[in-house]
Structure formats: structure tokens, C-alpha cells
Amino acid sequence: MEESSATSSSSSSSSSSSHYFSIFTNYPLISAVLAFTIAQLIKFFTSWYKEKRWDLKRLCGSGGMPSSHSATVTALAMAVGLQEGFGGSHFAIALVLTSIVMYDATGVRLHAGRQAEVLNQIVYELPAEHPLSESIPLRELLGHTPPQVVAGGVLGIATAAFGYLITLIAK
């Protein structure tokens, strides 16, 4: 009796430890992280190409081409759809999340960035003796234009589709 109890205990602990490592084989999560990474690297290298200097802020900053937020959520939704089916509730949740993020990127965040530009210009033109003249400028690169969001979406779909093909080949 003690032997079977020890065996079930050991199998449940090995099962739970393998459960922790399943995050490294989670296809939707890997697709999303990979799409984000690729988008940020594209921004980093295009920034270097245009400005001839390395800007480490481009590796983790928001804004620019392509939208890493759009790439991330689109890859997640596509991977969930490919893995679990496009008719299920998991895909529906991922699709709604994707729609909200992409709408927010071209709406609220884009306009907040444009307002930051105007406010920074106003502060820049203040006389030196004004208390706000020395304030730290607001971040202007917050949102995305529609082409940047679409490019991020295409990148996310391509990343998830490529990952899916790899999982099919690996089986």
C-alpha cells in the first residue's frame, strides 16, 4: 500500500514539474513572444539604418513600424485559432483582445502622442523664467498609424503560421 502511494506521489510530482515546463512548448505564447521580438528588432535595425546610430530604446519602446503590440496579439490570436480551432471561445477571446489593442494603437495612443507633440512645443516656446520651461518633455512616440498596425498584424499572422508549419513538421 505504501509503495503505490509513493508511486502516485512521485508521478504526480513529475507531472506537476513537467506542467511547469510546458510553458516552453506553448505554441500560442511562443508565437506571440517571437512576433514581439521580431517587430522590436525590425524597429531597432531600421532605426540604425536611418540614423546610423544604435538606439537601445527602440528595443523596448512603443511606436514605430511595425506595431509590436499588433504583431503580438495577432500572433496570439492566429496561433490559438490554428491550434484550437477558429470556432471556439478561446479564439473569440483572443480576437476581441486583438481588436481592442489594434484599435487603441491607432486611436487613443496615436492621438495622445500627437497631443504630447503640441504640449512639448508649447513648453519649448515658454520664456526661460516660466516654472514649466524646464519640465521634462512628454513622450511623443506612443501610438501607430494604420499602416504600422497593419504591418504588425501581417507580421503576427506570418509568425504564427510559420510556427504552426514547424509544429506540423516536427510531429
Side-chain angles (χ1 to χ4, degrees), residues 139-156:
R139 283 187 38 214
E140 297 177 4
L141 196 55
L142 297 174
H144 296 281
T145 63
Q148 293 170 337
V149 170
V150 169
V154 169
L155 174 62

Side-chain angles (χ1 to χ4, degrees), residues 2-86:
E2 288 178 22
E3 230 178 275
S4 70
S5 162
T7 306
S8 73
S9 170
S10 104
S11 71
S12 95
S13 78
S14 71
S15 162
S16 70
S17 69
S18 69
H19 190 66
Y20 289 115
F21 293 110
S22 68
I23 194 168
F24 298 113
T25 59
N26 185 320
Y27 159 62
L29 179 60
I30 292 168
S31 294
V33 170
L34 187 59
F36 175 84
T37 303
I38 292 169
Q40 290 302 104
L41 286 172
I42 289 170
K43 291 184 213 181
F44 180 69
F45 286 110
T46 56
S47 170
W48 170 80
Y49 181 76
K50 288 179 182 176
E51 300 172 18
K52 302 296 184 223
R53 67 178 181 86
W54 296 107
D55 185 2
L56 293 177
K57 292 178 195 169
R58 300 305 304 150
L59 282 176
C60 57
S62 61
M65 173 71 92
S67 166
S68 57
H69 293 89
S70 296
T72 303
V73 293
T74 304
L76 177 66
M78 183 71 170
V80 167
L82 289 169
Q83 180 175 301
E84 309 211 4
F86 292 96

